[in-house]
Amino acid sequence: MNESSQSYQVRVSGSGVAIVLAAATLGLAALILTIERGLTGWSFAITFGVLIAVGEMVQFRVDRSRNRAPIATSAALGYAMLRGPEVGVPPDVAQVVAVVAIATIAGLVPRVVAGLRWEVVISARRVLSVAAATAAFSAVIPNDMEWDGTWSHALPLTAAMFLAVLTAGISDALVGAGQATEAFNRPFPAALRDELVVLARIGLGMGISGVLLASCTSLLGLWAPPLIIVPLLLTQFAFRRFASAQRTYRATVRSMARSTEIAGFSSPGQNARTAQLAIAIGNDLGLTPARMEALEYAALLSGVGQLALADPSPGGASLLRNREERQQAAEIGASIIERSGVLDHVAEIVRHSNDPYRQGRANNSDIPVESGIVNVALAYEQLVGEGGGQSAGKAMESIGLGIGAEYDPVVVESLRRVVGRGFRF
Amino acid sequence: MTWRPRARALWLVVALTAALAIATLVFALFEVQNGLVVAGLCLVALIASSLRSVHTQRQIELVSVVLVAVYVIAGPAAAVIVAAVASLIQAPAPKIKLIFNSAQRVLSAAGAAVAYAALDGPVGTEVFDRVPDALIATTAASIVLQMVNALLVSMVLILERGPGGVGEFFRHVVRTTAIPVLGYGLLGLSMAVVWLGGLNIFAGVLILGPLVLARWALSQYEAEKTAQAATMRAFIQVIETKDLYTRGHSERVSEGVGMLGRQLQLSDERQSALEHAGLLHDVGKVGVPTSIIRKPGRLDDAEMDAIRLHPARGVELIGNIPFLEEVKSAVLHHHEKYDGTGYPAGLAGKNIPYFARIIGIVDAFDCLTSTRSYRPAREVDETLAILVQDRYTHFDPELVDAFVQVIRAKGWKAAVDQPAPDGNVQANVDHDDLSLGSGGGASGSAAGPIA
């Protein structure tokens, strides 16, 4: 099992329970209301319900954050924004929420049965954000406003759809940022910034697809969904390939890191533990996802320079006897990593990962803070990890002695917080 | 067989194509009505063709999606004009290529226009009542567009690269883009619907969003693949620093198995898996102490055992990478021999995994054509003769034949920049070396006298 992907999973959390409960309550209320009033537009409800369920079934994971079901999201948003002339009586807010909720459950059940990854919190978040979008859209656009082929109708309709999509996106970003803060102790502004970046990239694509789906269905009726869904499936296929190439690449870097263990330069799991701690500190400091990725790779690969040294030092990296040797190994490692041509930032981090703070970052702001993080993570791992076996308190004490001279004070403060929250390897 | 480009014929064909395209364009200009709408569509198409991505070679043709919309919004003749305007923006290329590309796009669009008109595809708001007709007509138009395109490009490819180029073009470009182009063509139809539904030129913005996203995913995919390949190569180079004589060995083996794989016409996926396996086959050497790898003179049994462990070490190392299973089995079994005397499992004949048999051949070939501390490099012809002699004992005979054929046809870039053989070294240590009588290497005809 790879540690880092685990640490990125949303754990069962207080907010998660609250989100699921809220979605369930909302869905149930909407269902009761819909049953009371009666369902309008059966064919549309069933078609979009099936689309949402199928989209939910074929969800996948990209950029290691969480599962995504873009087709389900687009379909749900599309259903929320239907109007005439083809849709006789557009679904009201309650009906949209009810259909989305039921379809979501219908799509999740097969995944659960098949033993695939499923995240009920993420699905619940979709129900909530689509409810927000529906509310926004129907607040702006009256039920009887139709697509009649004129500017004066098309433009306000489209503007309102974008407003609704943005409402959904931003509300989901807020919830997502809150969850990231809770799960990984990321500072809220940093977490929100990351969510908004994803929103601008993937979220907007899903939103626009939803807008297209809604407008085309309003104009063409049920001929429209295939026109949008087939290209969406192709896009999703492209994303899956991207995601799988990404997984392969990450696993390759991890394997490279493990080669120092197989060669006898470091103890089993040492690199993974160092990376795990570096990630926790990086989260605490609110680094961007791109920098987090480089940090993880740098922590994993920090020992790779030893491969070029003639003979292993038995027992792991700690036995590189002096600073010169360690810095030399770091320099070699950096040049190895640089040779790949695609990991320059990682190489830079590794190059300075054994520089003492006083001679390094204190006077040279070009050296990335990530180097200081890797330096501290290496030190802490050697004290507390399998080789060291010290208690967290004692390790903090001896690292504290090196504050400002050996270690970056900002990083040590962050380590103190991370350890204080009960970090374990 | 080498192919001499037919430069004069090429120019003639390009000139004819261009003339035909211009004639078509003039005809279309007389046919078209509603200039303002066409101008708007041209603008969208120009934006689409300027959204070029750096990484992907097989891109979804954004312009062809816009063209589908043009047939429906403004009619077939307009599509020819839009195609011509869109081809004004092209990636930098030699002039002859630019001219041909523009002409080829105009003619493809014209062919598709004829198909659309022949099927009586709806133009304008009548599409709302005739959706099935529109679907059929736009799909037919997309197919014809691709066919004309493929035809014209093949014609030029034959003149430029010979018949082989056409096969490559069909295998790698046409086959992989056909379904995406048809699928994304549907998006063009929905663009037309939204445009006619009152949104007008903003429909273009709406449609380009998802397309750009799809392209982004594709380009990210290519970027990850490139990064992966570059990273693996860098890593392999580090491991090879352990022994000066094996520098570049893994990359050459990867190259060699790639050549053989193409000869055997593997699918794209398996081809790249084979190349990965070739690159990584000796990755387990990182677990063999450098002192053993560099040791001059014969190895004792314990040292030999350490070397024999490297395939298993390799699998241990790459086990977590989601490669095809074939990659791992190839790394594990690349030292098996056809007669069952190899290691680690002593598999024989076709029980040895296919990829492992391929790598075994190229591995030995590259070893023999490189310098070792105890002997100079062998000539390619001499080495091929050794491989042929060792069919059945070491190698899969059919694969050896295929390999010999491929090397004869395409040649081989042997190792360069190697240190000269060291006169003081008496025996070898390279586990891949066939000229070894016992120990790591093979026994067989190659175990000739050690010079």
Side-chain angles (χ1 to χ4, degrees):
Chain A
M1 199 56 222
N2 44 49
E3 296 75 3
S4 63
S5 72
Q6 262 179 349
S7 65
Y8 266 91
Q9 279 171 25
V10 180
R11 291 186 287 261
V12 175
S13 57
S15 70
V17 174
I19 290 167
V20 174
L21 271 180
T25 316
L26 191 68
L28 201 65
L31 187 63
I32 292 169
L33 265 178
T34 309
I35 291 173
E36 260 176 23
R37 295 181 196 166
L39 193 76
T40 57
W42 274 97
S43 55
F44 292 97
I46 287 171
T47 307
F48 279 87
V50 168
L51 287 181
I52 295 167
V54 170
E56 190 75 35
M57 260 186 263
V58 296
Q59 61 179 268
F60 68 106
R61 217 153 80 115
V62 75
D63 71 23
R64 75 168 134 187
S65 52
R66 56 181 170 84
N67 276 24
R68 293 184 188 281
I71 292 182
T73 306
S74 299
L77 286 171
Y79 187 59
M81 305 184 294
L82 291 179
R83 284 295 180 269
E86 286 294 322
V87 183
V89 186
D92 61 9
V93 181
Q95 182 174 327
V96 171
V97 173
V99 167
V100 172
I102 289 173
T104 303
I105 294 170
L108 271 182
V109 168
R111 282 189 82 84
V112 178
V113 172
L116 296 166
R117 273 179 61 97
W118 55 286
E119 288 172 40
V120 69
V121 179
I122 302 294
S123 306
R125 270 165 59 178
R126 180 175 323 109
V127 174
L128 292 177
S129 55
V130 170
T134 321
F137 184 70
S138 57
V140 182
I141 299 292
N143 243 353
D144 51 4
M145 183 154 176
E146 288 190 355
W147 287 83
D148 60 358
T150 63
W151 266 93
S152 53
H153 277 201
L155 216 55
L157 274 165
T158 313
M161 288 199 282
F162 271 98
L163 176 77
V165 166
L166 271 182
T167 309
I170 289 173
S171 60
D172 192 57
L174 284 169
V175 174
Q179 282 209 297
T181 304
E182 187 193 14
F184 312 124
N185 299 295
R186 288 178 76 73
F188 185 77
L192 186 59
R193 172 203 61 205
D194 299 343
E195 288 282 336
L196 289 178
V197 168
V198 176
L199 174 66
R201 192 173 288 156
I202 301 174
L204 203 61
M206 295 192 294
I208 289 181
S209 304
V211 170
L212 269 175
L213 197 51
S215 46
C216 282
T217 309
S218 303
L219 285 159
L220 293 184
L222 290 178
W223 283 106
L227 297 188
I228 317 291
I229 293 299
V230 171
L232 266 187
L233 273 172
L234 286 170
T235 304
Q236 173 151 344
F237 181 68
F239 265 97
R240 293 184 89 118
R241 291 215 309 171
F242 162 39
S244 111
Q246 205 175 35
R247 270 197 298 279
T248 308
Y249 183 47
R250 298 222 157 90
T252 305
V253 173
R254 271 192 211 101
S255 291
M256 279 174 61
R258 281 205 316 132
S259 69
T260 58
E261 293 165 14
I262 285 186
F265 286 108
S266 46
S267 63
Q270 188 177 2
N271 300 311
R273 286 194 297 274
T274 307
Q276 190 192 347
L277 178 56
I279 286 173
I281 297 176
N283 268 327
D284 181 77
L285 293 174
L287 301 185
T288 60
R291 288 177 71 183
M292 288 291 290
E293 182 176 41
L295 171 64
E296 183 189 357
Y297 288 170
L300 282 170
L301 297 174
S302 58
V304 86
Q306 299 168 85
L307 284 178
L309 299 180
D311 45 342
S313 44
S318 59
L319 293 184
L320 279 179
R321 282 153 296 272
N322 53 49
R323 172 168 307 287
E324 281 76 53
E325 267 184 33
R326 288 210 303 271
Q327 279 183 331
Q328 192 201 347
E331 182 60 45
I332 296 172
S335 62
I336 291 168
I337 296 167
E338 234 163 31
R339 215 180 293 167
S340 74
V342 287
L343 294 170
D344 287 352
H345 194 50
V346 176
E348 193 59 19
I349 299 173
V350 169
R351 175 165 292 124
H352 299 291
S353 63
N354 271 298
D355 295 0
Y357 177 69
R358 189 185 289 150
Q359 280 115 53
R361 217 173 105 74
N363 298 310
N364 183 356
S365 54
D366 287 347
I367 297 179
V369 67
E370 288 91 327
S371 292
I373 298 178
V374 174
N375 192 12
V376 167
L378 281 168
Y380 186 83
E381 196 282 334
Q382 273 165 32
L383 294 168
V384 181
E386 248 148 61
Q390 285 190 20
S391 75
K394 269 195 92 180
M396 275 317 303
E397 214 170 276
S398 61
I399 285 180
L401 290 177
I403 224 173
E406 184 68 22
Y407 306 118
D408 189 334
V410 176
V411 178
V412 176
E413 264 323 294
S414 171
L415 173 68
R416 207 182 293 283
R417 285 193 295 273
V418 167
V419 173
R421 286 190 291 255
F423 175 86
R424 289 278 173 278
F425 282 120
Chain B
M1 184 192 70
T2 51
W3 184 267
R4 270 185 302 129
R6 315 245 163 118
R8 202 175 299 166
L10 196 63
W11 269 107
L12 193 67
V13 167
V14 171
L16 277 176
T17 320
L20 198 57
I22 289 172
T24 319
L25 194 58
V26 171
F27 178 71
L29 275 171
F30 280 109
E31 282 287 300
V32 80
Q33 303 140 357
N34 205 344
L36 205 60
V37 171
V38 177
L41 287 165
C42 284
L43 184 67
V44 174
L46 274 176
I47 295 172
S49 59
S50 66
L51 292 170
R52 241 160 242 298
S53 97
V54 195
H55 293 291
T56 45
Q57 264 139 33
R58 313 169 203 161
Q59 36 191 257
I60 312 147
E61 275 283 358
L62 296 188
V63 177
S64 68
V65 174
V66 175
L67 279 185
V68 168
V70 177
Y71 298 121
V72 183
I73 297 170
V80 178
I81 294 164
V82 173
V85 171
S87 71
L88 290 178
I89 298 184
Q90 283 188 38
K95 200 170 275 168
I96 184 170
K97 233 177 182 172
L98 293 178
I99 294 173
F100 174 75
N101 272 340
S102 305
Q104 166 265 26
R105 287 182 200 180
V106 169
L107 289 180
S108 306
V114 171
Y116 194 82
L119 287 168
D120 189 26
V123 176
T125 45
E126 56 177 317
V127 67
F128 293 129
D129 308 315
R130 294 178 52 202
V131 183
D133 294 345
L135 259 177
I136 292 168
T138 52
T139 307
S142 287
I143 294 173
V144 172
L145 185 119
Q146 285 211 71
M147 277 179 7
V148 176
N149 167 290
L151 211 71
L152 290 171
V153 173
S154 321
M155 200 168 66
V156 168
L157 278 180
I158 285 182
L159 292 174
E160 200 186 41
R161 296 184 206 159
V166 177
E168 197 120 299
F169 168 70
F170 267 87
R171 250 198 318 282
H172 292 294
V173 181
V174 176
R175 210 187 61 191
T176 49
T177 50
I179 291 191
V181 168
L182 288 186
Y184 285 109
L186 295 177
L187 220 43
L189 182 51
S190 60
M191 167 176 162
V193 168
V194 187
W195 181 298
L196 297 166
L199 214 47
N200 227 302
I201 197 160
F202 287 105
V205 182
L206 222 50
I207 217 72
L208 290 180
L211 282 175
V212 168
L213 187 68
R215 281 250 299 239
W216 180 78
L218 265 182
S219 73
Q220 289 297 108
Y221 168 73
E222 304 279 340
E224 293 281 337
K225 294 282 258 200
T226 318
Q228 155 102 9
T231 307
M232 283 196 305
R233 270 201 302 279
F235 180 46
I236 288 297
Q237 284 168 9
V238 181
I239 293 170
E240 286 177 349
T241 56
K242 284 183 158 200
D243 183 353
L244 296 178
Y245 290 97
T246 59
R247 183 170 295 165
H249 169 68
S250 299
E251 283 184 58
R252 286 193 304 274
V253 169
S254 177
E255 179 78 13
V257 296
M259 289 162 73
L260 184 46
R262 276 189 291 276
Q263 171 87 358
L264 299 166
Q265 304 215 330
L266 299 181
S267 67
D268 281 358
E269 193 190 18
R270 288 187 78 207
Q271 174 77 26
S272 83
L274 176 61
E275 286 169 15
H276 283 155
L279 189 64
L280 294 172
H281 72 280
D282 269 348
V283 77
K285 270 190 177 175
V286 74
V288 181
T290 311
S291 56
I292 296 181
I293 290 183
R294 287 191 180 163
K295 183 178 174 186
R298 290 216 177 267
L299 302 175
D300 62 31
D301 284 350
E303 289 165 336
M304 209 54 237
D305 284 345
I307 291 215
R308 284 168 191 268
L309 264 180
H310 83 272
R313 291 287 199 184
V315 174
E316 186 186 343
L317 196 54
I318 63 166
N320 284 333
I321 309 178
F323 285 133
L324 291 184
E325 217 33 61
E326 274 189 294
V327 175
K328 292 166 198 168
S329 66
V331 170
L332 184 60
H333 294 295
H334 74 274
H335 277 293
E336 306 287 357
K337 288 187 222 152
Y338 207 65
D339 60 6
T341 59
Y343 63 91
L347 299 181
K350 308 275 181 204
N351 286 334
I352 307 170
Y354 190 53
F355 281 10
R357 277 179 271 150
I358 294 177
I359 291 174
I361 293 170
V362 184
D363 196 11
F365 177 76
D366 181 66
C367 173
L368 290 169
T369 51
S370 318
T371 311
R372 286 291 172 270
S373 59
Y374 48 88
R375 60 154 176 78
R378 281 187 168 79
E379 291 300 315
V380 167
D381 284 339
E382 186 190 349
T383 310
L384 288 180
I386 292 174
L387 294 185
V388 171
Q389 272 176 36
D390 284 349
R391 297 152 94 225
Y392 295 108
T393 52
H394 286 92
F395 309 120
D396 184 328
E398 291 160 31
L399 290 174
V400 168
D401 293 343
F403 185 66
V404 169
Q405 208 182 338
V406 116
I407 294 295
R408 291 257 155 82
K410 305 219 165 130
W412 176 251
K413 251 201 243 140
V416 286
D417 291 341
Q418 288 191 308
D422 183 344
N424 299 321
V425 177
Q426 291 304 313
N428 83 58
V429 286
D430 188 353
H431 67 295
D432 289 336
D433 201 329
L434 284 179
S435 45
L436 240 192
S438 59
S443 55
S445 53
I450 293 168

